[in-house]
Amino acid sequence: MLDGTSPWHLHLAQNVALILTSILFLPFSTYLLFTSFLLTVFTGHDPHRERKRVRSSPTFDPQTILVTGVGMTKGLALARLFYEAGHDVIGADFEPYGVPVCGRYSRSLKKFYPLPKPTAEDGSAHYINALLRVVKREHVDIWVSCSGVASAVEDGEAKEVIERRSNCRAIQFDVTTTSMLHEKDTFIQETERLGLPVPETHNVTSRDAVHKVLHSPKRRSYIMKSVGVDDAVRGDMTLLPRRTLSETYNHIAQIPISSQKPWVLQQFIKGKEYCTHSLVVDGEVKMFVACHSAELLMHYERLPPESGLSRAMLAFTKEFVARSGKSMTGHLSFDFLVDEVVTEKGVQLTLNPIECNPRAHTAVALFSGMGQEVSKAYMSALRESRMNGNGHVPCFTEEQIIVPQNAAQYYWNASLGGIPTVHTDVPITAVFLFLFICGAATHMTIYQMNRRRGHKFVLSGMMFGFCMARITTCVMRIVWATRPQHISIAIAAQILVAAGVVLLFVINLVFAQRIIRAMHPHSGWHPFFAHFFTAIYCLIVITLIMQIVAIVQSFYTLNSNTLRIDRDVILYGGTFSTVVSLLPFPLVLGALIIPRKTRLEKFGSGRFRSKIAILLTAAFLLCLGASFRAGTNFKTPRPRDDPPTYYDRAYFYIFNFTVEILVVIFYVVVRIDLRFHVPDGSKGPGDYSRMSALNSKEKGAGSDTSARIAGDEAAFDDTAENQAKYPSEAAKVHAREERGP
């Protein structure tokens, strides 16, 4: 890992590599962005509607809140919550080298201010003055600091200046408290002074001091942590002492330790690591959440507030705050290691605080959708002199700690594939994700190549669209596996599974329509027949909407009559999908059975019988999947903790993704873009053959691929006798023109 002492050319190479990687994944990142935006339409919470409702109240008095650090998840999450609660939010953050931060463009912000970053040369004066100017210019009521690890102490200094020189209240500890909590050694010392349990910890400023601790009679294992912020070593969790004495000495010899750069030698605790986030106002805990630690700081899942671990960590936080005094106001985050000790009474869990972060934690994002509750907690920081329209500041009259809301209560029967898991479903889904990405790239390549040579075949674009829909489905299923209790993700994943295959049904119906028009031009081009297909397409869309509504509603209701209606709609949708997937069979077989009155209107390349075989093969695969899904839906519902065998995930992947990817690959191999292509501008009987002949004269022999297909396979079985017996529509038109009026 590079650090401040690494050569500049290595930093340059690293940055160039990151930029190139970002450019390489830009199309995929853009796709994920738009997919996420579209998903919020039917799964997301609408803060704008909630804001309008709150601000329409005549008694509501909006406050002006300054949130710094909106370029980070935690700052932006809080800004959105305050916006949802109806307040005016001002955003501010550092923008090194003039590069704008993402939070600058959030619609939650009324205004954004860039801030100068504190430096070792200039100190924090410029930064504090800039903050003070923003506070006075915007008449800020509350400043919510969401500082990063490198500016926590400077925010402590800014708090003292802002509260002394303005009427603004700062959600930030003072500089003394911040400095004490920020450093690992002083935090442990303070915790021990307060009489709370801590792991064995030693401050060391030399290698000799390290060896003295390691070779003590206690025979414990330790890890070393830098007291200051050092990204180059923060991930080093080497256990000391090492296996041999020489390995121990060699490892410690590489550590830059001195009185100017002290280290902490802390007892190694073999257990799971947890983190917490809490809001403390005037010595009272107002908000709290506990969750498993996440190395990448990107994925947090709360512990149930009623769980023993969460309650124990909350009790530690409340005790720490109570013993520290009433003056504490700010964000407080602890890191714990939970040690399991086997006793005569069973397994006993022991909390061991190892670090403290006196700043907002990324886990604050778990309070999403709780704008009113979170706002109430922060507004309690305003004193009696800052009254709202009712004459009182909304504050806590009794102990009332805000925790993330429980998952929505919903009715959830067993379903095909069940709830995905990380260890089983993620690897399988990742394989299908790769296959669908390859399918999307292939069909889009074919579409673009054909378009450049004037060969219009929109159905290749539809195949690309289907593959992209399935990519989204795979991504959502992987996300669902990592967050199995997230209701919105579960709904989106199931809707995408049901909706994606519709595009393949439509493509097969288009192929069937072209075959019928080629075999029976007068019937196939009749307005009644065109209206029939249009009605089918409309029914597909209407049925899909009905299924989406029923799926979403079934997750959120316990009303038996509503659940019965939702189930009936889902059963209808499954049956309708099966019928649509089966439609090419009766349509094509009927066209074969009914005697033809005209000669075959050939289109595309290859034998006509091959076109029929290709269509029916794909229709069979899709009908197989749709029939299995519909059949299992008609079975008596079973609870999700007792699923039937036919709901096993193996059947899910076989009758969904497997049959679909087989069709995607099959359509590439047989080159549907050549076999099922019809001339542009075809509007009635005779256009297929007449315009095909015209295009052949203009383009000559055509491409090598089309020539190969046409050469390997004779055109249907139109013998000379059949050609004489069934003249083509084009020939009939030509004969009428020769005879004249």
Side-chain angles (χ1 to χ4, degrees):
M1 179 181 293
L2 301 181
D3 57 23
T5 62
S6 302
W8 67 269
H9 60 273
L10 293 181
H11 284 283
L12 177 62
Q14 183 186 58
N15 292 333
V16 171
L18 288 173
I19 293 173
L20 292 177
T21 303
S22 300
I23 295 174
L24 178 64
F25 284 93
L26 181 61
F28 186 65
S29 301
T30 304
Y31 163 72
L32 289 180
L33 172 65
F34 282 102
T35 300
S36 301
F37 178 76
L38 292 175
L39 287 176
T40 58
V41 173
F42 57 88
T43 63
H45 176 71
D46 187 0
H48 309 293
R49 186 183 301 115
E50 177 67 14
R51 177 181 175 83
K52 290 180 181 178
R53 185 190 68 79
V54 173
R55 291 184 72 105
S56 64
S57 172
T59 60
F60 178 74
D61 183 22
Q63 305 294 316
T64 301
I65 303 175
L66 170 64
V67 180
T68 52
V70 293
M72 295 178 284
T73 300
K74 54 188 178 183
L76 188 56
L78 282 173
R80 289 170 173 169
L81 289 171
F82 295 137
Y83 172 84
E84 176 186 335
H87 299 291
D88 296 325
V89 185
I90 308 299
D93 205 345
F94 306 127
E95 291 188 332
Y97 309 108
V99 178
V101 296
C102 59
R104 166 190 279 268
Y105 304 105
S106 173
R107 289 187 294 174
S108 302
L109 302 183
K110 181 180 180 181
K111 192 176 293 185
F112 174 86
Y113 289 91
L115 298 174
K117 194 169 186 178
T119 61
E121 296 79 13
D122 300 331
S124 58
H126 292 300
Y127 168 63
I128 296 174
N129 288 332
L131 269 178
L132 186 60
R133 284 195 297 270
V134 174
V135 168
K136 291 184 175 181
R137 181 180 303 169
E138 299 296 337
H139 305 287
V140 173
D141 299 294
I142 294 181
W143 167 39
V144 179
S145 167
C146 293
S147 60
V149 64
S151 59
V153 176
E154 286 79 2
D155 277 0
E157 298 174 357
K159 170 213 171 64
E160 299 179 1
V161 174
I162 289 175
E163 289 192 338
R164 187 170 61 248
R165 300 174 59 181
S166 72
N167 294 324
C168 176
R169 186 77 192 275
I171 306 297
Q172 169 66 44
F173 299 121
D174 58 46
V175 65
T176 303
T177 305
T178 303
S179 300
M180 179 269 295
L181 297 175
H182 180 67
E183 303 296 347
K184 302 175 182 67
D185 55 343
T186 54
F187 161 67
I188 292 295
Q189 293 170 8
E190 176 67 10
T191 306
E192 193 171 18
R193 186 189 69 81
L194 295 175
L196 296 172
V198 295
E200 181 186 340
T201 306
H202 302 272
N203 298 327
V204 290
T205 58
S206 66
R207 294 181 178 84
D208 290 338
V210 175
H211 290 297
K212 185 177 180 180
V213 175
L214 293 180
H215 299 99
S216 64
K218 295 181 180 180
R219 308 293 296 173
R220 288 176 173 172
S221 296
Y222 300 86
I223 56 174
M224 288 191 68
K225 302 178 181 179
S226 174
V227 171
V229 179
D230 192 344
D231 291 334
V233 296
R234 66 183 302 178
D236 185 2
M237 302 297 291
T238 304
L239 285 183
L240 298 173
R242 302 292 297 274
R243 187 171 56 88
T244 65
L245 191 61
S246 61
E247 289 181 356
T248 302
Y249 272 88
N250 289 335
H251 178 79
I252 296 174
Q254 299 174 5
I255 297 176
I257 181 172
S258 65
S259 57
Q260 289 75 33
K261 194 172 184 180
W263 287 64
V264 168
L265 195 63
Q266 196 170 72
Q267 174 191 351
F268 173 72
I269 299 171
K270 187 178 181 180
K272 294 182 179 179
E273 186 173 351
Y274 296 86
C275 58
T276 66
H277 166 83
S278 57
L279 168 67
V280 180
V281 177
D282 294 329
E284 293 185 7
V285 178
K286 302 297 186 181
M287 290 169 52
F288 180 83
V289 63
C291 49
H292 291 276
S293 291
E295 292 183 2
L296 297 179
L297 309 180
M298 294 175 64
H299 173 69
Y300 291 99
E301 185 172 352
R302 69 170 179 84
L303 293 176
E306 66 276 6
S307 68
L309 272 177
S310 179
R311 289 161 58 188
M313 285 184 267
L314 173 58
F316 178 92
T317 303
K318 291 167 63 178
E319 194 65 28
F320 186 95
V321 171
R323 297 185 186 186
S324 297
K326 292 289 187 180
S327 61
M328 292 191 74
T329 295
H331 297 118
L332 190 62
S333 303
F334 291 113
D335 290 339
F336 294 96
L337 279 173
V338 179
D339 189 17
E340 295 184 357
V341 180
V342 180
T343 64
E344 295 179 355
K345 297 181 180 180
V347 178
Q348 180 180 348
L349 300 179
T350 304
L351 283 182
N352 295 277
I354 56 174
E355 290 184 16
C356 177
N357 299 307
R359 53 189 176 274
H361 193 284
T362 308
V364 73
L366 295 174
F367 290 89
S368 175
M370 300 179 61
Q372 296 301 321
E373 295 87 347
V374 170
S375 173
K376 178 182 178 181
Y378 279 89
M379 291 303 106
S380 66
L382 295 177
R383 297 181 174 87
E384 288 292 334
S385 59
R386 307 297 305 280
M387 297 181 179
N388 63 14
N390 292 326
H392 298 285
V393 174
C395 60
F396 295 79
T397 57
E398 59 183 20
E399 186 178 25
Q400 191 177 19
I401 299 175
I402 306 299
V403 296
Q405 291 177 338
N406 293 327
Q409 299 297 317
Y410 53 86
Y411 183 77
W412 200 349
N413 281 327
S415 59
L416 183 59
I419 301 176
T421 61
V422 173
H423 296 294
T424 302
D425 292 84
V426 169
I428 297 174
T429 308
V431 172
F432 283 106
L433 175 63
F434 172 76
L435 293 176
F436 282 116
I437 289 174
C438 293
T442 303
H443 279 285
M444 178 50 66
T445 300
I446 292 174
Y447 174 78
Q448 294 294 343
M449 291 175 61
N450 286 331
R451 186 180 62 84
R452 282 194 290 268
R453 65 186 184 89
H455 183 89
K456 183 180 178 182
F457 193 75
V458 178
L459 298 182
S460 288
M462 290 184 64
M463 289 297 300
F464 168 78
F466 166 74
C467 290
M468 294 302 293
R470 276 297 176 250
I471 291 171
T472 306
T473 305
C474 292
V475 170
M476 288 304 301
R477 188 163 180 83
I478 291 174
V479 174
W480 186 16
T482 62
R483 305 185 69 179
Q485 299 302 321
H486 197 292
I487 183 66
S488 296
I489 294 175
I491 294 173
Q494 295 203 20
I495 288 175
L496 288 170
V497 169
V501 71
V502 167
L503 285 174
L504 291 183
F505 295 162
V506 172
I507 290 172
N508 281 355
L509 287 177
V510 173
F511 289 164
Q513 187 180 32
R514 291 182 178 181
I515 288 175
I516 293 172
R517 285 175 172 175
M519 298 182 68
H520 302 278
H522 287 289
S523 301
W525 287 101
H526 194 277
F528 172 80
F529 206 64
H531 294 329
F532 168 77
F533 276 93
T534 302
I536 293 294
Y537 299 146
C538 292
L539 278 175
I540 289 175
V541 175
I542 294 172
T543 302
L544 182 60
I545 295 174
M546 292 172 60
Q547 281 187 291
I548 291 174
V549 173
I551 290 174
V552 173
Q553 185 171 252
S554 66
F555 274 79
Y556 285 102
T557 183
L558 293 175
N559 184 279
S560 58
N561 186 56
T562 304
L563 288 171
R564 179 189 61 79
I565 296 173
D566 292 337
R567 174 171 164 77
D568 290 343
V569 172
I570 293 173
L571 291 178
Y572 155 73
T575 305
F576 179 78
S577 296
T578 304
V579 172
V580 171
S581 66
L582 187 66
L583 266 182
F585 280 94
L587 291 174
V588 173
L589 293 178
L592 290 172
I593 293 173
I594 298 175
R596 287 185 287 121
K597 298 180 180 180
T598 61
R599 188 177 147 200
L600 182 72
E601 293 281 341
K602 294 184 293 183
F603 63 90
S605 302
R607 281 184 179 180
F608 199 81
R609 65 181 64 176
S610 297
K611 294 179 175 65
I612 295 175
I614 290 169
L615 172 59
L616 296 185
T617 300
F620 170 76
L621 290 173
L622 296 178
C623 184
L624 182 66
S627 300
F628 182 84
R629 294 191 295 272
T632 55
N633 284 340
F634 275 94
K635 292 287 187 178
T636 302
R638 297 267 290 273
R640 63 172 177 170
D641 56 355
D642 183 28
T645 304
Y646 50 80
Y647 275 169
D648 189 80
R649 55 177 44 88
Y651 298 111
F652 171 85
Y653 289 109
I654 290 172
F655 291 102
N656 281 294
F657 294 165
T658 300
V659 296
E660 292 167 359
I661 197 63
L662 286 176
V663 172
V664 170
I665 297 173
F666 180 55
Y667 277 172
V668 170
V669 173
V670 300
R671 292 301 300 273
I672 58 170
D673 60 302
L674 300 177
R675 293 181 182 273
F676 288 91
H677 177 261
V678 296
D680 294 343
S682 298
K683 297 179 180 179
D687 285 351
Y688 283 0
S689 57
R690 180 172 63 252
M691 300 183 74
S692 293
L694 181 62
N695 290 338
S696 298
K697 290 181 180 179
E698 293 177 351
K699 297 182 181 180
S703 67
D704 294 338
T705 308
S706 60
R708 173 182 59 77
I709 293 177
D712 291 345
E713 302 176 352
F716 202 43
D717 54 351
D718 278 354
T719 61
E721 180 180 355
N722 286 337
Q723 293 181 17
K725 184 177 181 180
Y726 304 120
S728 68
E729 285 297 318
K732 290 181 178 180
V733 172
H734 180 70
R736 284 196 296 269
E737 291 175 350
E738 289 292 328
R739 288 196 300 268

